[in-house]
Amino acid sequence: MFGRILVNMCLATILLFTLGCGAFSSSESGMEPTKTVELEENFELSVKIEKEGLLGVEMPDPVKSGYKLTGASFDPKILGLVNYLEFDNDGQRWVQYMFKPVDDGTSDILFKMAPISGGDAEIYKRLTVNVGKDDTFF
């Protein structure tokens, strides 16, 4: 009797553990960008995205250059910030901003940085986002 209860408890624990791990590794979390832009070498770039998508913007953190990111400015009528993430990319710290289009139109996203030692903010990167249907023929 005791053996049967122990076996059932072990099986239930394994089943719950497996289901729990599956819930966290799912790509259905809704936070997967439909388009990702890397702003590594370019200072300025432009991108077009449909209103139903999510835009991921990845760039290296300028901390090695003596700067820190201070944020991003954009038109909240066109874009909304959904997520901000810092991660390691081959030993270098990177950041990812994720934006959700709110309405059709165009907005510049200005990513800003300031010296770690103190000082005025400067523009680190600029991204022009055009939100709307892709009406081009090609």
Side-chain angles (χ1 to χ4, degrees):
M1 179 76 174
F2 178 72
R4 182 178 250 181
I5 293 173
L6 183 63
V7 169
N8 286 336
M9 286 186 61
C10 287
L11 288 174
T13 303
I14 291 171
L15 178 65
L16 289 174
F17 179 75
T18 305
L19 290 173
C21 289
F24 291 109
S25 66
S26 173
S27 64
E28 301 296 321
S29 64
M31 293 302 289
E32 192 70 29
T34 54
K35 183 176 269 191
T36 303
V37 177
E38 284 189 7
L39 296 175
E40 184 172 9
E41 297 175 7
N42 299 329
F43 168 76
E44 188 169 1
L45 218 74
S46 63
V47 66
K48 184 171 181 81
I49 187 166
E50 292 188 13
K51 192 174 172 183
E52 297 79 29
L54 278 176
L55 175 65
V57 183
E58 298 178 353
M59 67 192 79
D61 192 338
V63 72
K64 286 186 177 180
S65 303
Y67 287 88
K68 62 181 176 182
L69 287 174
T70 58
S73 61
F74 52 91
D75 186 353
K77 294 177 184 173
I78 307 295
L79 297 169
L81 182 62
V82 177
N83 194 23
Y84 173 80
L85 174 70
E86 296 177 0
F87 63 97
D88 185 60
N89 186 6
D90 292 331
Q92 185 178 6
R93 197 164 97 179
W94 278 58
V95 297
Q96 180 190 54
Y97 289 86
M98 196 164 317
F99 296 95
K100 171 108 177 99
V102 177
D103 200 3
D104 291 342
T106 301
S107 174
D108 285 334
I109 306 173
L110 303 176
F111 300 97
K112 298 178 182 179
M113 65 180 183
I116 294 174
S117 59
D120 293 335
E122 303 172 22
I123 296 175
Y124 175 49
K125 304 280 184 179
R126 177 191 318 255
L127 180 66
T128 302
V129 179
N130 188 351
V131 177
K133 294 280 185 200
D134 192 2
D135 296 333
T136 59
F137 185 67
F138 293 103

